[in-house]
Amino acid sequence: MNNKIKLAVVDDHPIVIQGIVSLINNLGNMDVVGSFQSGGELIAFLNDHELDIVLLDIMLPDINGIELCAQVKKLSPATAVIAISNHTERSIIMQILQNGASGYILKNASVEELKNCIETALNGELAFSKEVIEIIAKPSINDLKGRPKFTKRENEILRLIAQGKTTAGIADELFLSPLTVETHRRNMMQKLDVKNAIELINIATEQLLI
């Protein structure tokens, strides 16, 4: 048992965790020593246990996987983090790699791809499923532009817009004039090259700006 690869799975859907655990247990040389539905649970576990591999979803209830990856690598540099997600945005893939991830797998990957990616990551190399390799190889126009930078005030207003609050409501809450709120909204729309608030929220959500 001591020679087995110690692995943890983090996903907010229990049925997904069960499926991944079942697949990994069938591989023989890997031992799932923890399964968690939040980032906080994983960090608490890592404080007292060693892990070789963490399979990590991007969207979690308490933190996004990109930020969680950085925390894991800070706490346990030797642990290899592989994102396993439905998100196909190249910008998200690149962000989590920049935070120390050893690979990225889409959830429709085969068992063989999963096994190969784990072994590749343990060898200190970057590991990707086939579709992710294709995504990385073909950056979009938005990828080439880079991730936009929002100011602290813009981030505050963006979150309130996402909550469905009106310009007047946002102005009251942040002690700003409605004109100032609208100016910030226009600036954010220009940065993301969108035409309305719905597109603004959709793109900001995809790029994990919210």
Side-chain angles (χ1 to χ4, degrees):
M1 181 69 73
N2 290 335
N3 293 326
K4 285 192 173 185
I5 297 165
K6 290 179 287 188
L7 186 146
V9 181
V10 189
D11 195 292
D12 61 340
H13 294 95
I15 194 168
V16 173
I17 290 179
Q18 291 172 13
I20 294 174
V21 170
S22 177
L23 290 175
I24 290 171
N25 284 339
N26 288 331
L27 296 178
N29 64 331
M30 302 182 194
D31 185 24
V32 179
V33 296
S35 58
F36 313 101
Q37 294 182 46
S38 71
E41 291 173 346
L42 172 66
I43 294 301
F45 182 85
L46 265 177
N47 282 321
D48 299 310
H49 302 82
E50 292 183 359
L51 287 170
D52 297 309
I53 291 279
V54 173
L55 295 180
L56 181 65
D57 192 15
I58 295 293
M59 300 305 295
L60 297 168
D62 57 342
I63 186 173
N64 72 61
I66 295 171
E67 295 174 15
L68 181 58
C69 178
Q71 292 185 20
V72 169
K73 296 302 292 185
K74 184 176 181 180
L75 184 61
S76 179
T79 299
V81 177
I82 299 177
I84 181 163
S85 174
N86 286 322
H87 282 276
T88 59
E89 294 83 2
R90 188 177 185 275
S91 61
I92 290 178
I93 297 171
M94 301 312 294
Q95 286 173 56
I96 197 165
L97 292 176
Q98 289 166 2
N99 276 4
S102 296
Y104 199 105
I105 307 171
L106 295 185
K107 287 183 178 178
N108 63 357
S110 67
V111 177
E112 192 63 27
E113 281 183 299
L114 175 59
K115 179 183 178 182
N116 290 341
C117 284
I118 291 174
E119 292 174 348
T120 298
L122 288 173
N123 286 330
E125 302 173 26
L126 292 178
F128 307 108
S129 58
K130 181 181 177 182
E131 285 189 47
V132 173
I133 293 173
E134 295 173 356
I135 293 168
I136 292 175
K138 297 179 181 178
S140 67
I141 296 299
N142 286 335
D143 291 326
L144 296 175
K145 288 179 181 177
R147 191 185 189 202
K149 300 291 185 183
F150 284 174
T151 65
K152 182 179 179 181
R153 180 64 81 188
E154 285 171 344
N155 281 323
E156 289 176 337
I157 292 173
L158 180 62
R159 290 190 186 96
L160 293 173
I161 293 173
Q163 292 171 16
K165 298 200 174 181
T166 64
T167 295
I170 295 171
D172 288 342
E173 184 163 337
L174 298 180
F175 304 103
L176 300 172
S177 72
L179 179 59
T180 298
V181 173
E182 281 302 310
T183 299
H184 283 301
R185 186 200 300 260
R186 283 198 301 272
N187 287 340
M188 288 187 286
M189 288 168 58
Q190 288 177 354
K191 288 179 180 180
L192 291 179
D193 192 23
V194 297
K195 297 182 177 63
N196 55 54
I198 294 175
E199 290 183 1
L200 173 65
I201 296 306
N202 287 341
I203 297 297
T205 300
E206 283 182 5
Q207 298 196 15
L208 302 184
L209 296 170
I210 299 178

